[in-house]
């Protein structure tokens, strides 16, 4: 059985590489020829811990190949995973153009029975739509091949994607066909044997599970962010609150880390899409709507916190550490850092910034706007950022920011303001170096 994975983005590339690691012959397909050429020559389009090793090993023993030839992939692979983007449209709904095109192509090129497994995050009902599109194409060609549609949402986190794929909390399979469920179990047998729970359900339920998980996690982060904001004026330490909350097994300790708000390619897009779906069917999700608004407000609150302590932002130089939406990735999509930079610059501040691997992506984003280009300087390390700044602000919890030389930072800063928006430091440690410490909810 040969497997094609259509779409070599985060989800597709990790899925393809990890399926080859599980022993399958995999063909990764993408219409971006530069990306495919790079991958064929061992150049990865994304930074993801552990991924390069797997790709190198699997490609060397021909278990993993890359192509931009979708026709060849659909002709030669019985199992086809779809992992293409479903970005937000202006009204918040998911843009399904890519997935619809892939469904048409599958119907157009398939030469026998196929299993079509969707991994992209899609509105409930999209699996059925994919099925109709493929069938319409087969009817048009006047051929009669059978196919199954399966929803197999992915729960991997950027920066931890390989680990999440190979050691998932659960595998969700949504299908109307028992035989297809059986083949999915075969594909993931190695995970099943390790004791991974499988949830086998129908197509629409699997599609909803993915959105419900992301919306719940987004709401959980937002909840602790708002509690943290409330802790500050009341003199409460949110660390202790989150710790005690997390020890309640019904709540759990994860995703209770306050900060400048969630970002990335998933939570913002998926919460908007879920709200859009709920509005279409007249069952509003007020909690998710409030989460979206509160998360956006959180970014501005962080700027306000800095402005409040500095007595305004006009003419000030603010140093930012961390630009990616989380550590261990070069991804800056919907990162809180971008909103915060824009707001700082709009309010008359000059920004200096550094990120361990997000600099190149940020440089492109800065270049796209003249005002930004004039008012943001990217630096090569933490100390170049701190030099002559009125405040230093940690925005992303990169591990290396935990070990700053605080005496050096104090000596470099023009004013001793230290904003730790990921609560990486203890107040006492920072204040011992003559800096003024501000966390989130501390
Ligand atoms: C998220 C989900 O965690 C994955 O399960 C899902 O598969 C993925 O979206 C997706 O739909 O593809 P990801 O966006 O990679 O994964 O990153 P997370 O680790 O979930 O972090 C998202 C954002 O929340 C980051 O900006 C992070 O800094 C923030 N966050 C996370 C907090 O502010 N506090 C926390 O306690 C946890």
């Amino acid at each position: 059985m040969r497997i094609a994975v259509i779409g070599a983005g985060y989800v597709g590339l990790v899925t393809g590489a990890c399926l080859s690691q599980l022993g399958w012959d995999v063909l990764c397909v993408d219409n971006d020829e530069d990306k495919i050429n790079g991958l064929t020559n061992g150049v990865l389009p994304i930074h993801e811990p552990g991924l390069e090793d797997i790709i190198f090993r699997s490609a060397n023993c021909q278990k993993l190949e890359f192509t931009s030839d979708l026709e060849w992939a659909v002709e030669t692979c019985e199992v086809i995973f779809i992992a293409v983007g479903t970005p937000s449209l202006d009204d918040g709904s998911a843009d399904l153009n890519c997935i619809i095109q892939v469904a048409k192509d599958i119907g157009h090129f398939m030469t026998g029975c196929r299993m079509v497994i969707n991994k992209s995050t899609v509105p409930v009902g999209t699996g059925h739509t994919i099925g109709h599109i493929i069938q319409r194409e087969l009817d048009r060609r006047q051929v009669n091949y059978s196919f199954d549609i399966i929803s197999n949402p992915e729960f991997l986190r950027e920066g931890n994607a390989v680990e999440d794929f190979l050691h998932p909390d659960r595998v969700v399979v949504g299908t109307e066909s028992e035989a297809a469920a059986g083949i999915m179990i075969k594909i993931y047998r190695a995970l099943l044997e390790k004791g991974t729970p499988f949830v086998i359900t129908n197509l629409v339920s699997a599609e909803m599970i993915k959105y419900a998980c992301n919306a719940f996690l987004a709401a959980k982060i937002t909840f602790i962010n708002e509690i943290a904001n409330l802790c500050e004026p009341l003199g409460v330490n949110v660390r202790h609150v989150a710790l005690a909350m997390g020890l309640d097994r019904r709540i759990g300790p994860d995703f209770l880390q306050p900060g400048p708000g969630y970002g990335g390619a998933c939570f913002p897009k998926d919460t908007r899409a879920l709200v859009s779906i709920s509005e279409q069917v007249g069952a509003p999700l007020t909690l998710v709507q409030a989460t979206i608004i509160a998360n956006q407000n959180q970014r501005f609150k962080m700027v306000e916190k800095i402005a409040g302590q500095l007595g305004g932002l006009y003419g000030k130089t603010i140093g930012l550490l961390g630009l990616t939406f989380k550590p261990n990735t070069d991804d800056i999509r919907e990162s809180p850092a971008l909103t915060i930079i824009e707001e700082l610059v709009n309010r008359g501040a000059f920004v200096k910034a550094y990120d361990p691997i997000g600099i190149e992506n940020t440089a492109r984003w800065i270049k796209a706007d003249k005002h930004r280009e004039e008012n943001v300087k990217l630096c090569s390390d933490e100390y170049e950022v701190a030099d002559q700044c009125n405040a230093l602000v940690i925005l992303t919890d990169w591990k290396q920011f935990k070990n700053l030389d605080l005496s050096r930072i104090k000596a470099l800063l023009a004013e001793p303001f230290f904003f730790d928006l990921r609560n990486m430091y203890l107040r006492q440690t920072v204040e011992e170096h003559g800096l003024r410490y501000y966390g989130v909810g501390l």
Side-chain angles (χ1 to χ4, degrees):
M1 192 164 70
R2 196 163 133 95
I3 297 177
V5 180
I6 302 178
Y10 267 103
V11 173
L13 204 51
V14 172
T15 300
C18 290
L19 286 172
S20 71
Q21 165 95 350
L22 295 182
W24 297 106
D25 289 327
V26 179
L27 186 54
C28 275
V29 192
D30 202 289
N31 56 10
D32 181 339
E33 294 200 8
D34 288 343
K35 192 188 269 187
I36 292 299
N37 286 339
L39 282 163
T40 309
N41 294 308
V43 181
L44 268 62
I46 52 167
H47 172 88
E48 194 56 48
L51 187 59
E52 199 167 357
D53 277 358
I54 298 183
I55 291 184
F56 179 75
R57 266 186 277 122
S58 296
N60 259 353
C61 57
Q62 273 100 46
K63 297 226 56 90
L64 181 62
E65 286 178 275
F66 301 98
T67 183
S68 53
D69 188 347
L70 185 84
E71 179 173 355
W72 176 53
V74 173
E75 269 175 21
T76 56
C77 298
E78 300 92 336
V79 174
I80 302 168
F81 279 83
I82 304 178
V84 295
T86 51
S88 280
L89 289 168
D90 286 346
D91 64 359
S93 65
D95 180 350
L96 297 178
N97 275 322
C98 282
I99 214 160
I100 288 170
Q101 186 55 48
V102 168
K104 276 187 195 156
D105 291 340
I106 292 173
H108 191 70
F109 295 127
M110 62 194 261
T111 49
C113 303
R114 294 289 178 268
M115 262 187 54
V116 179
I117 304 157
N118 180 42
K119 268 207 171 293
S120 305
T121 304
V122 290
V124 178
T126 305
H128 291 303
T129 308
I130 294 172
H132 294 315
I133 294 170
I134 294 176
Q135 189 56 54
R136 212 186 311 137
E137 200 54 30
L138 293 176
D139 292 345
R140 197 190 57 74
R141 290 170 61 200
Q142 299 186 331
V143 290
N144 190 15
Y145 302 127
S146 69
F147 64 91
D148 286 309
I149 305 289
I150 297 109
S151 166
N152 173 220
E154 188 48 66
F155 300 100
L156 55 83
R157 290 162 296 171
E158 285 186 25
N160 215 52
V162 170
E163 174 70 19
D164 284 347
F165 190 99
L166 295 172
H167 304 278
D169 289 342
R170 75 305 206 186
V171 171
V172 174
V173 172
T175 176
E176 323 299 335
S177 147
E178 248 177 65
I183 296 178
M184 290 301 284
I185 288 174
K186 189 171 159 195
I187 292 173
Y188 287 119
R189 183 165 305 282
L191 304 184
L192 192 67
E193 280 167 0
K194 276 193 277 189
T196 309
F198 272 54
V199 178
I200 312 266
T201 178
N202 62 11
L203 256 178
V204 285
S205 303
E207 289 167 342
M208 180 55 111
I209 287 168
K210 171 68 190 186
Y211 275 120
C213 288
N214 274 6
F216 184 84
L217 291 169
K220 194 173 179 190
I221 297 166
T222 305
F223 182 84
I224 200 66
N225 282 342
E226 292 211 313
I227 290 290
N229 296 341
L230 178 61
C231 284
E232 273 177 38
L234 298 177
V236 176
N237 187 329
V238 75
R239 262 196 201 111
H240 299 176
V241 176
L243 173 70
M245 281 177 71
L247 287 169
D248 185 324
R249 274 173 297 168
R250 293 167 303 174
I251 298 174
D254 295 337
F255 282 65
L256 285 179
Q257 177 67 41
Y262 61 78
C266 304
F267 288 168
K269 161 179 82 73
D270 294 346
T271 44
R272 288 192 294 261
L274 191 57
V275 164
S276 163
I277 296 165
S278 75
E279 282 166 353
Q280 279 166 32
V281 295
L285 285 175
T286 45
L287 180 62
V288 185
Q289 279 167 338
T291 297
I292 295 169
I293 295 167
N295 187 59
Q296 193 61 8
N297 289 345
Q298 186 71 2
R299 299 162 179 217
F300 293 106
K301 278 210 173 77
M302 298 300 108
V303 176
E304 212 38 67
K305 186 196 282 271
I306 302 165
Q309 294 303 328
L310 264 62
L313 290 166
Y314 192 82
K316 300 282 166 68
T317 301
I318 311 297
L320 304 180
L321 299 186
L323 297 161
T324 52
F325 79 102
K326 60 184 282 190
N328 301 325
T329 174
D330 60 353
D331 196 344
I332 58 162
R333 285 176 290 175
E334 304 217 28
S335 173
L338 307 189
T339 317
I340 290 173
I341 290 177
E342 293 241 271
E343 184 66 3
L344 288 169
V345 166
N346 286 343
R347 292 175 64 169
F350 185 78
V351 171
K352 293 172 77 181
Y354 165 73
D355 188 277
I357 57 173
I359 285 281
E360 270 181 42
N361 286 336
T362 313
R364 269 192 290 276
W365 175 77
I366 288 173
K367 238 182 143 192
D369 180 281
K370 196 161 180 302
H371 191 51
R372 267 183 232 149
E373 211 177 5
E374 286 167 0
N375 292 290
V376 184
K377 177 178 185 240
L378 294 175
C379 300
S380 55
D381 69 21
E382 297 90 332
Y383 304 99
E384 190 190 343
V385 171
D387 192 21
Q388 296 308 309
C389 276
N390 298 94
L392 190 67
V393 185
I394 296 181
L395 283 182
T396 315
D397 40 348
W398 283 97
K399 210 169 157 198
Q400 71 184 65
F401 297 157
K402 245 187 145 50
N403 301 312
L404 294 173
D405 178 343
L406 293 174
S407 304
R408 194 170 159 203
I409 296 283
K410 165 74 173 65
L412 288 166
L413 284 172
E415 289 189 275
F417 290 102
F418 189 90
F419 293 88
D420 175 9
L421 302 187
R422 295 287 182 172
N423 292 353
M424 296 182 85
Y425 283 85
L426 291 174
R427 173 185 298 281
Q428 199 190 343
T429 314
V430 176
E431 289 183 347
E432 272 166 7
H433 291 83
L435 292 159
R436 292 171 67 174
Y437 180 81
Y438 306 91
V440 182
L442 300 174

